[in-house]
Coordinates of all heavy atoms in Angstrom, one line a residue:
M1 N 53.1 -13.2 10.9 CA 52.3 -14.4 10.3 C 51.0 -14.4 11.1 O 50.9 -14.3 12.3 CB 53.2 -15.6 10.6 CG 52.4 -16.8 10.1 SD 53.5 -18.3 9.9 CE 54.4 -18.3 11.4
A2 N 50.0 -14.8 10.3 CA 48.7 -14.9 11.0 C 48.5 -16.3 11.5 O 49.3 -17.2 11.2 CB 47.6 -14.6 9.9
W3 N 47.6 -16.4 12.4 CA 47.4 -17.7 13.1 C 46.4 -18.6 12.4 O 45.6 -18.1 11.6 CB 46.9 -17.5 14.6 CG 47.9 -16.7 15.3 CD1 49.3 -16.8 15.5 CD2 47.5 -15.6 16.4 NE1 49.8 -15.9 16.4 CE2 48.7 -15.2 16.9 CE3 46.4 -15.1 16.8 CZ2 48.8 -14.2 17.9 CZ3 46.4 -14.1 17.7 CH2 47.6 -13.7 18.3
I4 N 46.4 -19.8 12.8 CA 45.4 -20.8 12.3 C 44.0 -20.5 13.2 O 44.1 -20.3 14.4 CB 45.9 -22.2 12.6 CG1 47.2 -22.4 11.9 CG2 44.7 -23.2 12.1 CD1 47.8 -23.7 12.3
C5 N 43.0 -20.5 12.4 CA 41.6 -20.3 13.1 C 41.1 -21.6 13.7 O 41.0 -22.6 13.1 CB 40.7 -19.9 12.0 SG 39.0 -19.6 12.6
P6 N 40.8 -21.5 15.0 CA 40.1 -22.5 15.7 C 38.8 -22.9 15.2 O 38.2 -24.0 15.5 CB 40.1 -22.2 17.2 CG 41.0 -21.0 17.3 CD 41.0 -20.3 15.9
G7 N 38.2 -22.0 14.6 CA 36.8 -22.1 14.1 C 36.7 -22.9 12.7 O 35.9 -23.9 12.7
C8 N 37.5 -22.5 11.8 CA 37.5 -23.2 10.5 C 38.9 -23.9 10.2 O 38.8 -24.6 9.1 CB 37.1 -22.3 9.3 SG 38.4 -20.9 9.2
N9 N 39.8 -23.8 11.1 CA 41.1 -24.4 10.9 C 41.9 -24.1 9.6 O 42.4 -25.0 9.0 CB 41.0 -26.0 11.0 CG 40.7 -26.3 12.4 OD1 41.4 -25.9 13.3 ND2 39.7 -27.2 12.8
R10 N 41.6 -22.9 9.2 CA 42.4 -22.5 8.0 C 43.6 -21.7 8.4 O 43.6 -21.0 9.5 CB 41.6 -21.5 7.1 CG 40.4 -22.2 6.4 CD 39.9 -21.2 5.5 NE 38.5 -21.5 5.2 CZ 38.0 -21.4 3.9 NH1 38.7 -21.1 3.0 NH2 36.7 -21.6 3.7
P11 N 44.8 -21.9 7.8 CA 46.0 -21.1 8.1 C 45.8 -19.7 7.7 O 45.0 -19.3 6.9 CB 47.1 -21.8 7.3 CG 46.4 -22.3 6.1 CD 45.0 -22.7 6.5
D12 N 46.7 -18.9 8.3 CA 46.7 -17.4 7.9 C 45.3 -16.8 7.9 O 45.0 -16.0 7.1 CB 47.3 -17.3 6.5 CG 48.8 -17.7 6.4 OD1 49.4 -17.5 7.4 OD2 49.2 -18.1 5.3
A13 N 44.7 -17.2 9.0 CA 43.2 -16.7 9.1 C 43.0 -15.6 10.1 O 42.2 -14.7 10.0 CB 42.3 -17.8 9.4
I14 N 43.9 -15.7 11.2 CA 43.7 -14.8 12.4 C 44.9 -13.7 12.3 O 45.9 -14.1 12.7 CB 43.7 -15.5 13.7 CG1 42.7 -16.6 13.6 CG2 43.3 -14.4 14.8 CD1 41.2 -16.2 13.7
A15 N 44.6 -12.6 11.8 CA 45.7 -11.5 11.8 C 45.6 -10.9 13.3 O 44.7 -10.9 13.9 CB 45.4 -10.4 10.8
H16 N 46.8 -10.4 13.6 CA 46.8 -9.7 14.9 C 47.8 -8.7 15.1 O 48.8 -8.7 14.2 CB 47.2 -10.8 16.0 CG 48.4 -11.6 15.8 ND1 48.5 -12.6 14.9 CD2 49.6 -11.3 16.3 CE1 49.8 -13.0 14.8 NE2 50.5 -12.2 15.7
I17 N 47.7 -7.8 16.0 CA 48.8 -6.9 16.4 C 49.2 -7.1 17.8 O 48.4 -7.5 18.7 CB 48.0 -5.4 16.4 CG1 47.6 -5.1 15.0 CG2 49.0 -4.4 16.9 CD1 46.7 -3.8 14.9
E18 N 50.4 -7.1 18.0 CA 51.0 -7.3 19.3 C 51.7 -6.0 19.8 O 52.6 -5.5 19.1 CB 51.9 -8.5 19.3 CG 52.5 -8.9 20.6 CD 53.2 -10.1 20.7 OE1 53.4 -10.7 19.6 OE2 53.6 -10.5 21.8
N19 N 51.4 -5.5 21.0 CA 52.1 -4.4 21.5 C 52.3 -4.6 23.0 O 51.9 -5.6 23.5 CB 51.4 -3.1 21.0 CG 50.1 -3.0 21.6 OD1 49.7 -3.6 22.6 ND2 49.2 -2.2 20.9
E20 N 52.7 -3.5 23.7 CA 52.9 -3.7 25.1 C 51.6 -3.9 25.8 O 51.7 -4.4 27.0 CB 53.7 -2.5 25.7 CG 53.0 -1.1 25.5 CD 53.5 -0.4 24.5 OE1 54.2 -0.9 23.5 OE2 53.5 0.9 24.6
D21 N 50.5 -3.7 25.3 CA 49.2 -4.0 26.0 C 48.9 -5.4 25.8 O 47.9 -5.9 26.4 CB 48.1 -3.1 25.4 CG 48.2 -1.6 25.7 OD1 48.9 -1.3 26.7 OD2 47.8 -0.8 24.8
G22 N 49.5 -6.1 24.9 CA 49.2 -7.5 24.8 C 48.8 -7.8 23.3 O 49.2 -7.2 22.3
L23 N 48.0 -8.9 23.2 CA 47.6 -9.3 21.9 C 46.2 -8.8 21.4 O 45.3 -8.9 22.1 CB 47.6 -10.9 21.8 CG 48.9 -11.5 22.0 CD1 48.7 -13.0 22.4 CD2 49.8 -11.4 20.9
H24 N 46.2 -8.3 20.1 CA 45.0 -7.8 19.7 C 44.5 -8.5 18.4 O 44.9 -8.0 17.3 CB 45.1 -6.2 19.5 CG 45.6 -5.6 20.6 ND1 44.7 -5.3 21.7 CD2 46.7 -5.2 21.1 CE1 45.4 -4.7 22.6 NE2 46.7 -4.6 22.3
P25 N 43.9 -9.6 18.5 CA 43.6 -10.4 17.3 C 42.4 -9.9 16.6 O 41.4 -9.3 17.2 CB 43.4 -11.8 17.8 CG 43.0 -11.6 19.1 CD 43.6 -10.4 19.7
F26 N 42.3 -9.9 15.2 CA 41.2 -9.6 14.5 C 40.4 -11.0 14.3 O 40.8 -12.1 14.4 CB 41.6 -9.1 13.1 CG 42.3 -7.8 13.2 CD1 43.7 -7.7 13.2 CD2 41.6 -6.6 13.3 CE1 44.3 -6.6 13.2 CE2 42.2 -5.4 13.4 CZ 43.7 -5.4 13.3
P27 N 39.0 -10.7 14.0 CA 38.3 -12.0 13.7 C 38.9 -12.6 12.4 O 39.5 -12.0 11.6 CB 36.8 -11.4 13.3 CG 36.8 -10.1 14.0 CD 38.2 -9.5 14.0
C28 N 38.4 -14.0 12.3 CA 39.0 -14.8 11.3 C 38.5 -14.2 10.0 O 37.3 -13.7 9.8 CB 38.4 -16.2 11.4 SG 38.6 -17.3 10.0
H29 N 39.4 -14.2 9.0 CA 39.1 -13.7 7.6 C 38.0 -14.5 7.0 O 37.3 -14.0 6.1 CB 40.4 -14.0 6.6 CG 41.6 -13.0 7.0 ND1 41.5 -11.7 7.4 CD2 42.8 -13.3 7.0 CE1 42.7 -11.2 7.5 NE2 43.5 -12.2 7.3
F30 N 37.9 -15.8 7.3 CA 37.1 -16.7 6.5 C 35.8 -16.9 7.3 O 34.7 -16.9 6.5 CB 37.8 -18.0 6.4 CG 39.2 -17.9 5.7 CD1 40.4 -17.9 6.5 CD2 39.2 -17.7 4.3 CE1 41.6 -17.8 5.8 CE2 40.5 -17.5 3.7 CZ 41.6 -17.6 4.5
C31 N 35.8 -17.1 8.5 CA 34.5 -17.6 9.2 C 34.1 -16.5 10.3 O 33.0 -16.7 11.0 CB 34.7 -18.9 9.7 SG 35.7 -19.1 11.2
N32 N 34.9 -15.5 10.5 CA 34.7 -14.5 11.5 C 34.7 -15.0 13.0 O 34.2 -14.3 13.9 CB 33.3 -14.0 11.3 CG 33.1 -12.4 11.5 OD1 34.2 -11.7 11.4 ND2 32.0 -11.9 12.0
Y33 N 35.3 -16.1 13.1 CA 35.6 -16.6 14.5 C 36.4 -15.6 15.2 O 37.4 -15.1 14.7 CB 36.3 -17.9 14.4 CG 36.5 -18.6 15.8 CD1 35.7 -19.6 16.2 CD2 37.6 -18.3 16.4 CE1 36.0 -20.2 17.4 CE2 37.9 -18.9 17.6 CZ 37.1 -19.9 18.2 OH 37.4 -20.5 19.4
S34 N 36.1 -15.3 16.5 CA 36.9 -14.4 17.4 C 37.7 -15.2 18.3 O 37.0 -16.0 19.2 CB 36.1 -13.4 18.1 OG 36.9 -12.7 19.0
V35 N 39.0 -15.2 18.3 CA 39.8 -15.9 19.2 C 39.8 -15.3 20.6 O 40.4 -15.8 21.6 CB 41.3 -16.2 18.7 CG1 41.3 -17.0 17.5 CG2 42.0 -14.8 18.5
L36 N 39.3 -14.1 20.7 CA 39.2 -13.4 22.0 C 38.2 -14.2 23.0 O 38.3 -14.1 24.2 CB 38.6 -12.0 21.9 CG 39.6 -11.1 21.3 CD1 39.0 -9.7 21.0 CD2 40.8 -11.0 22.2
D37 N 37.3 -15.0 22.4 CA 36.3 -15.7 23.2 C 36.7 -17.1 23.3 O 36.6 -17.9 22.3 CB 34.9 -15.6 22.6 CG 33.8 -16.3 23.4 OD1 34.2 -16.8 24.6 OD2 32.7 -16.4 23.0
S38 N 37.2 -17.6 24.4 CA 37.6 -19.0 24.6 C 36.5 -19.9 25.0 O 36.7 -21.0 25.1 CB 38.8 -19.0 25.6 OG 38.2 -18.8 26.9
G39 N 35.3 -19.4 25.2 CA 34.2 -20.2 25.8 C 34.5 -20.8 27.1 O 34.0 -21.8 27.6
G40 N 35.3 -20.0 28.0 CA 35.6 -20.5 29.3 C 36.8 -21.4 29.4 O 37.2 -21.8 30.5
R41 N 37.3 -21.9 28.3 CA 38.5 -22.8 28.3 C 39.8 -22.1 28.5 O 39.9 -20.9 28.2 CB 38.6 -23.6 27.0 CG 37.5 -24.6 26.8 CD 37.4 -25.1 25.5 NE 37.0 -24.1 24.5 CZ 36.7 -24.3 23.1 NH1 37.1 -25.5 22.7 NH2 36.4 -23.4 22.4
S42 N 40.8 -22.7 29.1 CA 42.0 -22.1 29.3 C 42.9 -22.2 28.2 O 44.0 -21.6 28.1 CB 42.7 -22.7 30.5 OG 42.9 -24.1 30.4
A43 N 42.7 -23.1 27.2 CA 43.5 -23.3 26.1 C 42.6 -23.8 24.9 O 41.6 -24.5 25.1 CB 44.7 -24.2 26.3
V44 N 42.8 -23.3 23.8 CA 42.1 -23.7 22.5 C 43.1 -24.1 21.4 O 44.1 -23.4 21.2 CB 41.2 -22.6 22.1 CG1 40.6 -23.0 20.7 CG2 40.2 -22.3 23.1
W45 N 42.9 -25.2 20.8 CA 43.8 -25.7 19.7 C 43.2 -25.2 18.4 O 42.0 -25.3 18.2 CB 43.9 -27.2 19.7 CG 44.6 -27.8 20.8 CD1 44.1 -28.3 21.9 CD2 46.0 -28.0 20.9 NE1 45.1 -28.8 22.8 CE2 46.3 -28.6 22.1 CE3 47.1 -27.7 20.0 CZ2 47.6 -28.9 22.4 CZ3 48.3 -28.0 20.4 CH2 48.7 -28.7 21.6
A46 N 44.0 -25.0 17.4 CA 43.6 -24.9 16.0 C 44.8 -25.8 15.3 O 46.0 -25.7 15.6 CB 43.7 -23.5 15.6
S47 N 44.4 -26.5 14.3 CA 45.4 -27.3 13.6 C 45.1 -27.3 12.1 O 43.9 -27.0 11.6 CB 45.2 -28.7 14.1 OG 44.0 -29.3 13.8
Y48 N 46.1 -27.5 11.4 CA 46.0 -27.4 10.0 C 47.0 -28.4 9.4 O 48.1 -28.6 9.8 CB 46.5 -26.0 9.5 CG 46.6 -25.9 8.0 CD1 45.5 -25.8 7.2 CD2 47.8 -25.8 7.3 CE1 45.5 -25.6 5.8 CE2 47.9 -25.7 6.0 CZ 46.7 -25.6 5.2 OH 46.7 -25.6 3.8
A49 N 46.5 -29.2 8.4 CA 47.3 -30.3 7.9 C 48.6 -29.7 7.1 O 48.6 -28.7 6.5 CB 46.5 -31.0 6.7
C50 N 49.7 -30.4 7.4 CA 51.0 -29.9 6.8 C 50.9 -29.9 5.4 O 50.3 -30.7 4.7 CB 52.0 -31.0 7.3 SG 53.7 -30.5 6.8
D51 N 51.6 -28.8 4.8 CA 51.6 -28.7 3.4 C 52.3 -29.7 2.6 O 52.1 -29.9 1.4 CB 52.2 -27.3 3.1 CG 51.2 -26.4 2.3 OD1 50.0 -26.8 2.3 OD2 51.6 -25.4 1.8
L52 N 53.3 -30.2 3.2 CA 54.1 -31.2 2.4 C 53.3 -32.3 2.0 O 52.7 -33.0 2.8 CB 55.4 -31.7 3.2 CG 56.3 -30.4 3.6 CD1 57.4 -31.0 4.5 CD2 56.9 -29.9 2.4
K53 N 53.3 -32.7 0.7 CA 52.5 -33.8 0.1 C 52.7 -35.1 0.9 O 51.7 -35.8 1.1 CB 52.7 -33.9 -1.3 CG 52.2 -32.7 -2.1 CD 52.2 -33.0 -3.6 CE 51.8 -31.8 -4.4 NZ 52.8 -30.8 -4.5
E54 N 53.9 -35.4 1.1 CA 54.1 -36.8 1.6 C 54.0 -36.8 3.3 O 54.3 -37.8 3.8 CB 55.6 -37.2 1.2 CG 56.7 -36.4 1.8 CD 56.9 -35.1 1.0 OE1 56.2 -34.7 0.1 OE2 58.2 -34.5 1.2
C55 N 53.6 -35.7 3.8 CA 53.6 -35.5 5.2 C 52.1 -35.7 5.7 O 51.3 -35.0 5.1 CB 54.3 -34.3 5.7 SG 54.2 -34.1 7.5
A56 N 51.9 -36.5 6.7 CA 50.5 -36.7 7.2 C 50.4 -35.9 8.6 O 49.4 -36.1 9.2 CB 50.2 -38.1 7.4
G57 N 51.3 -35.1 8.9 CA 51.3 -34.4 10.1 C 50.4 -33.1 10.1 O 49.8 -32.8 9.1
V58 N 50.3 -32.5 11.3 CA 49.5 -31.3 11.5 C 50.4 -30.3 12.1 O 51.2 -30.5 13.0 CB 48.2 -31.5 12.1 CG1 47.2 -32.3 11.4 CG2 48.5 -32.1 13.5
I59 N 50.2 -29.0 11.8 CA 50.7 -27.9 12.4 C 49.7 -27.3 13.2 O 48.5 -27.2 12.9 CB 51.2 -26.9 11.3 CG1 52.4 -27.5 10.6 CG2 51.7 -25.5 12.0 CD1 52.6 -26.8 9.2
R60 N 50.1 -26.9 14.5 CA 49.0 -26.4 15.4 C 49.4 -25.0 16.1 O 50.6 -24.7 16.3 CB 48.9 -27.5 16.6 CG 48.1 -28.7 16.2 CD 48.0 -29.7 17.1 NE 49.4 -30.3 17.3 CZ 49.8 -31.4 18.1 NH1 48.8 -32.0 18.7 NH2 50.9 -31.8 18.1
D61 N 48.4 -24.3 16.3 CA 48.5 -23.2 17.1 C 47.7 -23.4 18.4 O 46.6 -24.0 18.4 CB 47.9 -21.9 16.4 CG 48.8 -21.3 15.5 OD1 50.0 -21.6 15.5 OD2 48.4 -20.5 14.6
L62 N 48.3 -23.1 19.5 CA 47.8 -23.3 20.8 C 47.5 -21.9 21.5 O 48.5 -21.2 21.7 CB 48.7 -24.2 21.7 CG 48.2 -24.5 23.2 CD1 46.8 -25.1 23.1 CD2 49.1 -25.3 23.9
Y63 N 46.2 -21.6 21.7 CA 45.9 -20.4 22.2 C 45.7 -20.6 23.7 O 44.9 -21.3 24.2 CB 44.5 -19.8 21.7 CG 44.5 -19.5 20.2 CD1 44.5 -20.6 19.2 CD2 44.5 -18.3 19.8 CE1 44.6 -20.3 17.9 CE2 44.6 -18.0 18.4 CZ 44.6 -19.0 17.5 OH 44.6 -18.6 16.1
H64 N 46.4 -19.7 24.5 CA 46.3 -19.8 25.9 C 45.5 -18.5 26.5 O 45.7 -17.4 26.0 CB 47.8 -19.6 26.6 CG 48.6 -20.8 26.4 ND1 48.4 -21.9 27.2 CD2 49.6 -21.1 25.5 CE1 49.3 -22.9 26.7 NE2 50.0 -22.4 25.7
Y65 N 44.7 -18.8 27.5 CA 43.8 -17.8 27.9 C 44.0 -17.8 29.5 O 44.3 -18.8 30.1 CB 42.3 -18.1 27.7 CG 42.0 -18.1 26.3 CD1 42.2 -19.2 25.5 CD2 41.6 -16.9 25.6 CE1 41.9 -19.3 24.1 CE2 41.3 -16.9 24.3 CZ 41.5 -18.0 23.5 OH 41.2 -18.0 22.2
S66 N 43.9 -16.6 30.0 CA 43.8 -16.4 31.6 C 42.4 -15.9 31.8 O 41.8 -15.2 31.0 CB 44.8 -15.6 32.1 OG 44.5 -14.1 32.1
P67 N 41.8 -16.2 33.0 CA 40.4 -15.8 33.3 C 40.3 -14.3 33.3 O 39.3 -13.8 33.0 CB 40.2 -16.3 34.7 CG 41.1 -17.5 34.8 CD 42.3 -17.2 34.0
R68 N 41.3 -13.6 33.6 CA 41.3 -12.2 33.8 C 41.7 -11.5 32.5 O 41.1 -10.5 32.0 CB 42.2 -11.6 34.8 CG 41.7 -12.1 36.2 CD 42.3 -11.2 37.2 NE 41.8 -11.6 38.6 CZ 42.1 -10.9 39.7 NH1 42.9 -9.9 39.6 NH2 41.6 -11.2 40.8
A69 N 42.8 -11.9 31.9 CA 43.4 -11.1 30.8 C 42.9 -11.7 29.5 O 43.3 -11.0 28.4 CB 44.9 -11.2 31.0
G70 N 42.2 -12.7 29.4 CA 41.8 -13.1 28.1 C 42.9 -13.8 27.5 O 43.7 -14.6 28.0
L71 N 43.1 -13.6 26.1 CA 44.1 -14.3 25.4 C 45.5 -13.8 25.8 O 45.7 -12.5 25.8 CB 43.9 -14.0 23.9 CG 44.9 -14.6 22.9 CD1 44.8 -16.2 22.9 CD2 44.6 -14.1 21.5
T72 N 46.3 -14.7 26.2 CA 47.6 -14.1 26.8 C 48.7 -14.6 25.8 O 49.9 -13.9 25.8 CB 47.9 -14.7 28.1 OG1 47.7 -16.2 28.0 CG2 46.9 -14.2 29.2
E73 N 48.6 -15.7 25.1 CA 49.7 -16.2 24.3 C 49.2 -17.2 23.3 O 48.3 -17.9 23.4 CB 50.6 -16.9 25.3 CG 52.0 -17.4 24.7 CD 52.9 -18.1 25.7 OE1 52.4 -18.7 26.6 OE2 54.1 -18.2 25.3
V74 N 49.9 -17.1 22.1 CA 49.7 -18.1 21.1 C 51.1 -18.8 20.8 O 51.9 -18.2 20.4 CB 49.0 -17.5 19.8 CG1 48.8 -18.5 18.8 CG2 47.8 -16.7 20.2
V75 N 51.0 -20.1 20.7 CA 52.2 -20.9 20.5 C 52.1 -21.7 19.2 O 51.0 -22.4 19.1 CB 52.5 -21.8 21.7 CG1 53.8 -22.6 21.4 CG2 52.7 -20.9 23.0
R76 N 52.9 -21.5 18.3 CA 53.0 -22.3 17.1 C 53.7 -23.5 17.3 O 54.8 -23.6 17.7 CB 53.5 -21.4 16.0 CG 53.9 -22.2 14.8 CD 52.7 -22.8 14.0 NE 51.6 -21.9 13.8 CZ 51.3 -21.2 12.7 NH1 52.2 -21.2 11.7 NH2 50.3 -20.4 12.6
L77 N 53.0 -24.8 17.1 CA 53.7 -26.0 17.3 C 53.9 -26.5 15.9 O 53.1 -26.7 15.1 CB 52.8 -26.9 18.2 CG 52.8 -26.4 19.6 CD1 51.3 -26.5 20.1 CD2 53.5 -27.3 20.5
P78 N 55.2 -26.8 15.6 CA 55.5 -27.2 14.3 C 55.0 -28.7 14.0 O 54.5 -29.3 14.9 CB 57.0 -27.3 14.3 CG 57.4 -27.3 15.7 CD 56.4 -26.7 16.5
C79 N 54.9 -28.9 12.8 CA 54.4 -30.3 12.3 C 54.9 -31.4 13.2 O 56.1 -31.5 13.4 CB 54.7 -30.5 10.9 SG 54.2 -32.0 10.2
N80 N 54.0 -32.2 13.6 CA 54.3 -33.4 14.4 C 55.1 -34.5 13.7 O 55.6 -35.5 14.3 CB 53.2 -33.9 15.3 CG 52.1 -34.4 14.3 OD1 52.0 -33.9 13.2 ND2 51.3 -35.3 14.8
E81 N 55.1 -34.4 12.4 CA 55.8 -35.4 11.6 C 57.1 -34.9 11.1 O 58.1 -35.6 11.1 CB 54.9 -35.8 10.4 CG 53.7 -36.5 10.8 CD 53.9 -38.0 11.1 OE1 54.9 -38.6 10.6 OE2 53.1 -38.5 12.0
C82 N 57.1 -33.7 10.5 CA 58.4 -33.2 9.7 C 59.0 -32.1 10.4 O 60.1 -31.6 10.0 CB 58.1 -33.0 8.3 SG 57.1 -31.4 8.1
G83 N 58.3 -31.5 11.4 CA 58.9 -30.3 12.1 C 58.7 -29.0 11.4 O 59.1 -28.0 11.9
S84 N 58.1 -28.9 10.3 CA 57.8 -27.7 9.6 C 56.8 -26.8 10.5 O 55.9 -27.3 10.9 CB 57.2 -28.0 8.2 OG 56.7 -26.7 7.7
G85 N 57.2 -25.6 10.5 CA 56.3 -24.6 11.2 C 55.5 -23.8 10.4 O 54.8 -22.9 10.9
K86 N 55.6 -24.0 9.1 CA 54.9 -23.1 8.2 C 53.8 -23.9 7.5 O 54.1 -24.7 6.7 CB 55.9 -22.6 7.2 CG 57.0 -21.7 7.7 CD 57.9 -21.1 6.7 CE 58.7 -22.2 6.0 NZ 59.5 -21.8 5.0
P87 N 52.5 -23.4 7.7 CA 51.5 -24.1 7.0 C 51.4 -23.7 5.5 O 50.8 -24.4 4.7 CB 50.2 -23.6 7.7 CG 50.6 -22.4 8.5 CD 52.1 -22.5 8.7
R88 N 52.1 -22.7 5.2 CA 52.1 -22.3 3.8 C 53.5 -21.8 3.5 O 54.2 -21.3 4.4 CB 51.2 -21.2 3.5 CG 49.9 -21.5 3.2 CD 49.2 -20.2 2.7 NE 47.8 -20.5 2.7 CZ 47.0 -19.4 2.5 NH1 47.5 -18.3 2.2 NH2 45.6 -19.6 2.6
Q89 N 53.9 -21.8 2.2 CA 55.1 -21.0 1.9 C 54.9 -19.5 2.1 O 53.8 -19.0 2.0 CB 55.4 -21.2 0.4 CG 54.6 -20.6 -0.6 CD 53.2 -21.4 -0.8 OE1 52.9 -22.3 -0.1 NE2 52.5 -21.0 -1.9
G90 N 55.9 -18.8 2.6 CA 55.7 -17.5 2.9 C 57.0 -16.9 3.4 O 58.0 -17.5 3.3
V91 N 56.9 -15.7 3.8 CA 58.2 -15.0 4.3 C 58.6 -15.7 5.6 O 57.8 -15.9 6.5 CB 57.8 -13.5 4.6 CG1 59.1 -12.9 5.1 CG2 57.4 -12.9 3.4
R92 N 59.9 -16.1 5.7 CA 60.3 -16.7 6.9 C 60.5 -15.7 8.0 O 60.9 -14.6 7.8 CB 61.8 -17.3 6.6 CG 62.2 -18.0 7.8 CD 63.7 -18.6 7.5 NE 63.6 -19.8 6.5 CZ 63.4 -21.0 7.1 NH1 63.5 -21.1 8.4 NH2 63.3 -22.0 6.3
H93 N 59.8 -16.1 9.1 CA 59.8 -15.1 10.3 C 61.2 -15.1 10.9 O 61.7 -16.1 11.3 CB 58.8 -15.5 11.3 CG 58.7 -14.6 12.4 ND1 58.2 -13.4 12.3 CD2 59.0 -14.8 13.7 CE1 58.2 -12.7 13.4 NE2 58.7 -13.5 14.3
V94 N 61.9 -14.0 11.0 CA 63.1 -13.8 11.6 C 62.9 -13.4 13.0 O 62.5 -12.3 13.3 CB 64.0 -12.8 10.9 CG1 65.3 -12.8 11.6 CG2 64.3 -13.4 9.4
P95 N 63.1 -14.2 14.0 CA 62.8 -13.8 15.4 C 63.6 -12.7 16.1 O 63.0 -12.0 16.8 CB 63.1 -15.2 16.2 CG 63.8 -16.0 15.4 CD 63.7 -15.6 14.0
N96 N 64.8 -12.6 15.6 CA 65.7 -11.6 16.2 C 66.4 -10.8 15.1 O 67.7 -11.0 15.0 CB 66.5 -12.1 17.2 CG 66.4 -11.3 18.5 OD1 66.1 -10.1 18.5 ND2 66.6 -11.9 19.6
P97 N 65.8 -9.9 14.3 CA 66.7 -9.2 13.3 C 67.7 -8.4 14.1 O 67.5 -7.9 15.2 CB 65.6 -8.4 12.6 CG 64.4 -8.3 13.5 CD 64.4 -9.5 14.4
G98 N 68.8 -8.1 13.4 CA 69.8 -7.2 14.0 C 69.2 -5.9 14.5 O 68.5 -5.3 13.8
R99 N 69.5 -5.6 15.7 CA 69.0 -4.4 16.2 C 69.9 -3.2 15.8 O 71.0 -3.1 16.3 CB 69.1 -4.5 17.8 CG 68.0 -5.4 18.3 CD 68.1 -5.5 19.8 NE 67.3 -6.6 20.2 CZ 66.4 -6.4 21.3 NH1 66.4 -5.3 21.9 NH2 65.6 -7.4 21.6
R100 N 69.3 -2.5 14.9 CA 70.0 -1.3 14.5 C 69.2 0.0 14.7 O 68.3 0.3 13.9 CB 70.4 -1.4 13.0 CG 71.5 -2.5 12.8 CD 72.1 -2.4 11.4 NE 73.0 -3.5 11.3 CZ 73.5 -3.8 10.1 NH1 73.3 -2.9 9.0 NH2 74.3 -4.8 10.0
T101 N 69.3 0.5 15.9 CA 68.6 1.7 16.1 C 69.6 2.9 15.9 O 70.7 2.9 16.3 CB 68.1 1.7 17.6 OG1 69.2 1.3 18.4 CG2 66.9 0.8 17.7
S102 N 69.1 3.9 15.1 CA 70.0 4.9 14.8 C 69.4 6.2 15.5 O 68.3 6.4 15.8 CB 70.2 5.1 13.3 OG 68.9 5.3 12.7
Ligands
ZN1 ZN1 37.8 -19.2 10.6
ZN2 ZN1 54.9 -32.0 8.0

């Protein structure tokens, strides 16, 4: 799942690759914002209005930075009203699919 963009606050805007070297985000699809540059802040918020029509809450992504390593972690905070973590309908993320290595 792509992250919310702190620049334009659209969902599914920041695609990224995660591997053992860390997080490798791409610029925003829409506004070209780069989440690699925190402007010296240790955390940056991005928020998006919850999709449920009757819900006035927001879903947020919190980008954490360290002075040395840059972007270290992105945390998805579910809607503060209804608890939904999905800004859009989409594939449900399965955190731990059955480990079947053959
Ligand atoms: Zn953007
Ligand atoms: Zn909601």
Side-chain angles (χ1 to χ4, degrees):
M1 177 162 52
W3 299 320
I4 302 164
C5 174
C8 64
N9 288 309
R10 294 190 203 220
D12 293 330
I14 311 286
H16 61 278
I17 295 168
E18 184 170 6
N19 60 25
E20 59 257 26
D21 294 332
L23 295 165
H24 305 280
F26 294 97
C28 175
H29 291 320
F30 303 103
C31 72
N32 217 34
Y33 181 98
S34 173
V35 295
L36 289 172
D37 181 9
S38 68
R41 290 170 290 180
S42 59
V44 173
W45 289 97
S47 62
Y48 177 72
C50 182
D51 237 11
L52 297 176
K53 290 191 184 72
E54 66 274 20
C55 182
V58 292
I59 294 159
R60 286 172 289 188
D61 279 344
L62 180 56
Y63 294 78
H64 289 280
Y65 296 87
S66 89
R68 292 194 177 190
L71 182 63
T72 56
E73 188 182 18
V74 181
V75 179
R76 167 65 46 94
L77 292 132
C79 176
N80 59 335
E81 293 284 330
C82 72
S84 169
K86 293 184 297 179
R88 268 192 204 176
Q89 71 279 13
V91 179
R92 182 177 285 273
H93 183 67
V94 180
N96 230 333
R99 289 176 188 229
R100 286 193 190 176
T101 48
S102 54

